[in-house]
């Protein structure tokens, strides 16, 4: 088994080899014990053709190989753990050495003081450069006294011991070169005259020996799977260091991100290097141009902390800045102050440019109200959240000094925090916040019940407080493209504020929407969903209901939606949202309920699914104005066919709000005389610019009502008139009938401004227009000299052209 494990790839990054030394010692003792037992019985045996003496020699050699393999595996794992290293917020390689050997007393712990020295985490180049050494070495810094050394060694002792042993013995692979201590290459660039340190060729050996002996006595070697630091441990090292206020906490090292050789910025890892080695990886020409650009705009570039701060005064400057960031091929945390009234598109372009440069964090100061969406319905299309979600490198976007105090926002991956008070600019550890967001997302995605989410939210609150965001967090928003939903949670009251989803089919939607104060549902397939009805009726905390659709059929489902809303005992407000496929969407209507319990009981006696129980005369819809107030109405088009209910609903909305209706589709297939009466009033009050008439067969019982509706069209504002379907001639003749207050185009004088007339017949045989209809068309053309006529599947008699 040991021979199988000791292959050429034993030094690879595999945790199974961490116990090789223990295993070899165990097998060694077991084999010798068995051989001694057999000898005592007078039995002489061979193992794999080897005598006892040959077997003992082989096992001792195997033990030596095992120890070497274990050491090499430990070093490789410590150095090459790229999954962790590329997120390191602080240097990870350091030596811990006694402060003063002369005063060291083995029996007096008070004399056991230590000093920490960071090392340049240099990644070896493929080509051999003779001018600049390619090995790891101490930084040119005096180091830091360690506070609370006992506590420090409890956390970092095993790791510090492994680094000391690696420096003492040396280690080299394809990526790293650590020369043995006796070569003194570890001291390259470390100048005692500059640093004031006691480390020199004469003292380094004794200091390393004393540190190793102390740590081995303090903490015997442990069997650990990953002998390296976590991101959190690396970031917290500075809390154990005695650093003067304002002093450098990174040992004069610079954080540098290495990229692959492709044109795309793909990072291979983050490393903390000395200024000399860090310069090898930079595009100096572009970097100097970036520094000049930033300094000319009241900013600065901090190469050690990898931060850029700049003030931009135009969209052109924003484009230049983004391009310089990308060309520099260096990863920064970016802070931008917008000193002009930036548009949404310019800010979006800036954010995407910064993300393309693989920046880790973006802080924006000066974002205006017209950029950030106020309505949480827009969460799935949120500018900043989308940039973070779609970026492979950018972890957060923070908004500072935002003019709407209740919307101070910090956007992390998948998670957005809505804050009540301004963020303390540049004081956050973005790496740790990213960890908090990822952990919260992991827990949230596995929550099965509402109580699970309460526990997750409580954990998030504590984690945010530990990272400097104490009582300022009001809301946390989680957006999921996989689930097509957005969930908003109030961390203070541990209550659901808003739940946005594409459908109500999953158990998760049923659980979460049933306890939200605000529910927003969007349907791709415009059919009334029973899950929505169940969620609303089961929810005793719901205050606001938002319903949105893709397409133009919002009004067609008004009856179900309004009755569902009124069926909830707690929901006071209903919002209808028209989300066109090529736009962000807009609020069409916002309604408030104002009714007493008697009316409410009468309404809720009929459920949204009880379509057979709806009274044929729709008496309830006539009383809608008594218990519904239209707070907002902004419907300028009607494409879908109207029912009696939706026609009455639209008529009432136009009574309470001046009409903005410019396009109307007249389709009588779903209405009775009562609905046509509402349509007649709608057309009379509207100043339509486009009218589309769907020419379906006309029921004789409602022909007079249809004629009156046509007669109410206001011609002076009409610019486009379209007739569709197979019964165009019948509709035009009805329009010309006495019941329609006959329309004569020649008599309209200067009131007719028609620019487009479109007649599109249906069926395999072209439709022929009667003499009456031909006169109608002829009159429109005569009265509108600029009219454009389009006839499709229509025939006219020859006399029409005479």
């Amino acid at each position: 088994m040991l021979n199988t494990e000791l292959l050429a790839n034993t030094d690879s990054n595999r945790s199974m080899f961490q116990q090789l030394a223990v295993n070899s010692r165990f097998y060694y003792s077991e084999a010798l014990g068995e051989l001694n037992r057999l000898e005592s019985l007078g039995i002489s045996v061979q193992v794999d053709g080897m005598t006892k003496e040959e077997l003992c020699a082989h096992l001792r050699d195997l033990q030596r190989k095992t120890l070497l393999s274990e050491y090499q595996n430990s070093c490789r794992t410590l150095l090459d753990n790229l999954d962790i290293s590329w997120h390191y917020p602080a240097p990870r390689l350091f030596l811990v050495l006694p402060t003063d050997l002369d005063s060291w007393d083995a029996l007096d712990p008070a004399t056991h003081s230590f000093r920490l020295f960071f090392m340049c985490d240099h990644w070896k180049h493929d080509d051999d450069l003779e001018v600049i050494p390619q090995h790891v070495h101490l930084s040119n810094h005096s180091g830091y006294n360690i506070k609370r050394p006992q506590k420090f060694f409890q956390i970092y002792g095993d790791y510090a011991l492994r680094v000391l042993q690696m420096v003492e013995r040396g280690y080299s692979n394809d990526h790293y070169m650590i020369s043995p201590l006796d070569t003194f290459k570890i001291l390259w660039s470390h100048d005692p005259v500059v640093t004031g340190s006691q480390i020199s060729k004469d003292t380094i050996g004794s200091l390393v020996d004393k540190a190793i002996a102390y740590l081995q006595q303090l903490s015997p070697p442990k069997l650990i799977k990953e002998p390296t630091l976590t991101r959190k441990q690396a970031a917290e090292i500075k809390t154990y260091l005695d650093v003067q206020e304002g002093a450098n906490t990174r040992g004069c090292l610079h954080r540098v991100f290495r990229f692959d050789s492709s044109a795309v910025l793909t990072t291979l890892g983050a490393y903390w290097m000395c200024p000399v080695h860090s310069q090898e990886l930079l595009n100096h020409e572009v970097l100097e141009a970036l520094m000049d650009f930033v300094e000319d705009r009241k900013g600065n570039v901090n190469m050690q902390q990898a931060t850029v701060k700049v003030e931009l005064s135009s969209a052109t400057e924003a484009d230049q800045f983004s391009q310089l960031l990308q060309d520099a091929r260096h990863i920064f945390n970016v802070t931008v102050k917008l000193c002009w009234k930036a548009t949404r598109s310019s800010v979006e372009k800036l954010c995407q440019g910064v993300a393309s440069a693989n920046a880790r964090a973006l802080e924006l100061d000066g974002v205006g109200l017209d950029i950030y969406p106020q309505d949480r319905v827009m969460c799935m299309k949120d500018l900043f959240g989308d940039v973070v979600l779609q970026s492979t490198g950018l972890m957060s976007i923070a908004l500072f000094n935002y003019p709407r105090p209740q919307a101070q926002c910090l956007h992390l991956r998948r998670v957005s925090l809505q804050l009540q008070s301004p963020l303390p600019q540049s004081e956050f550890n973005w790496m740790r916040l990213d960890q908090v967001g990822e952990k919260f997302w992991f827990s949230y995605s596995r929550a099965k019940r509402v109580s699970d989410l309460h526990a997750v939210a409580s954990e998030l609150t504590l984690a945010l407080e530990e990272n400097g965001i104490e009582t300022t967090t009001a809301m946390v928003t989680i957006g999921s493209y996989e689930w097509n939903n957005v969930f908003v949670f109030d961390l203070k009251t541990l209550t659901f504020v808003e739940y946005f989803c594409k459908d109500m089919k999953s158990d998760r939607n049923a659980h979460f929407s049933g306890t939200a104060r605000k529910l927003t549902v969007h349907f791709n397939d415009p059919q009334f969903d029973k899950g929505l009805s169940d969620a609303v009726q089961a929810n005793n905390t719901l205050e606001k209901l938002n319903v949105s659709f893709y397409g133009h059929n919002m009004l067609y489902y008004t009856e179900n939606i309004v009755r569902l809303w009124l069926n909830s005992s707690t929901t006071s407000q209903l919002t209808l949202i028209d989300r066109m496929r090529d736009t962000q969407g807009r609020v069409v209507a916002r309604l408030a309920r104002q009714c007493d319990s008697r009316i409410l009981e009468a309404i809720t006696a009929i459920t949204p699914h009880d379509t057979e129980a709806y009274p044929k005369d729709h008496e309830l819809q006539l009383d809608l104005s008594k218990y519904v107030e239209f707070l907002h109405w902004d419907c300028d088009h009607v494409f879908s066919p109207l029912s009696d209910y939706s026609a009455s609903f639209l008529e009432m909305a136009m009574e309470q709000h001046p009409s903005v209706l410019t396009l109307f589709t007249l389709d009588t297939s779903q209405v009775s005389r009562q609905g046509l009466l509402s349509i007649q009033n709608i057309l009379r009050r509207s100043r339509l610019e486009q009218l589309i008439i769907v020419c379906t067969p006309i029921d004789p019982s409602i022909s007079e009502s249809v004629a009156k509706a046509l007669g109410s069209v206001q011609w002076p504002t009409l610019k486009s008139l379209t007739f569709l379907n197979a019964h165009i001639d019948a509709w035009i003749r009805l329009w010309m009938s006495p019941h329609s207050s006959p329309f004569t185009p020649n008599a309209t004088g200067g009131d007719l401004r028609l620019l487009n007339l479109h007649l599109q017949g249906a069926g395999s045989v072209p439709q022929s227009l009667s003499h009456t209809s031909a006169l109608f068309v002829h009159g429109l053309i005569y009265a509108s000299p600029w009219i454009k006529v389009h006839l499709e599947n229509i025939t006219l008699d020859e006399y029409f052209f005479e």
Side-chain angles (χ1 to χ4, degrees), residues 570-764:
T570 60
T571 310
S572 60
Q573 197 171 105
L574 170 66
T575 302
L576 303 180
I577 305 154
D578 182 9
R579 294 177 62 87
M580 309 283 283
R581 290 190 182 277
D582 56 346
T583 66
Q584 293 288 335
R586 62 175 176 173
V587 173
V588 172
R590 185 173 286 116
L591 290 72
R593 178 166 56 186
Q594 48 179 12
C595 59
D596 56 32
S597 57
R598 180 183 58 80
I599 297 177
L600 181 60
E601 290 175 0
I603 297 171
T604 56
I606 303 176
T607 67
H609 298 288
D610 254 344
T611 53
E612 295 298 326
Y614 289 166
K616 298 302 181 182
D617 55 0
H618 293 273
E619 294 178 356
L620 285 177
Q621 69 187 31
L622 299 177
D623 295 331
L624 193 62
S625 59
K626 297 180 180 180
Y627 47 83
V628 171
E629 177 185 3
F630 285 77
L631 303 178
H632 172 83
W633 182 257
D634 185 24
C635 180
D636 61 355
H637 65 267
V638 175
F639 284 100
S640 61
L642 297 180
S643 64
D644 287 351
Y645 191 98
S646 57
S648 176
F649 180 85
L650 179 60
E651 179 190 6
M652 188 192 342
M654 294 177 64
E655 286 178 357
Q656 296 189 20
H657 290 264
S659 174
V660 293
L661 194 63
T662 60
L663 185 153
F664 188 82
T665 301
L666 180 56
D667 185 340
T668 61
S669 58
Q670 306 289 331
V671 294
S672 65
R673 285 192 300 271
Q674 183 174 323
L676 284 167
L677 178 60
S678 296
I679 292 175
Q680 179 181 342
N681 293 330
I682 292 169
L683 293 176
R684 185 177 65 254
R685 296 186 184 125
S686 301
R687 298 297 178 262
L688 295 181
E689 296 180 8
Q690 298 181 23
L691 176 61
I692 301 172
I693 300 176
V694 181
C695 301
T696 55
I698 301 174
D699 185 342
S701 64
I702 61 171
S703 60
E704 182 177 339
S705 298
V706 173
K708 290 181 179 179
L710 290 171
S712 63
V713 173
Q714 303 300 303
W715 285 95
T717 59
L718 198 63
K719 300 294 188 298
S720 176
L721 176 61
T722 301
F723 292 89
L724 303 175
N725 223 322
H727 300 275
I728 296 176
D729 187 73
W731 274 78
I732 294 177
R733 285 189 285 107
L734 185 62
W735 202 341
M736 299 290 290
S737 69
H739 297 296
S740 184
S741 301
F743 164 72
T744 53
N746 293 333
T748 60
D751 291 338
L752 196 58
R753 298 289 186 271
L754 202 62
L755 299 178
N756 182 67
L757 175 63
H758 185 187
L759 281 71
Q760 181 177 339
S764 58

Side-chain angles (χ1 to χ4, degrees), residues 63 189 231 267 304 316 350 366 373 404 434 437 452 477 544 620 642 654 800:
Q63 173 71 3
S189 86
R231 290 178 292 174
T267 53
Q304 183 181 24
T316 302
L350 171 63
R404 188 182 294 121
D434 182 51
D452 296 336
T477 301
K544 297 180 180 180
L620 285 177
L642 297 180
M654 294 177 64
F800 181 83

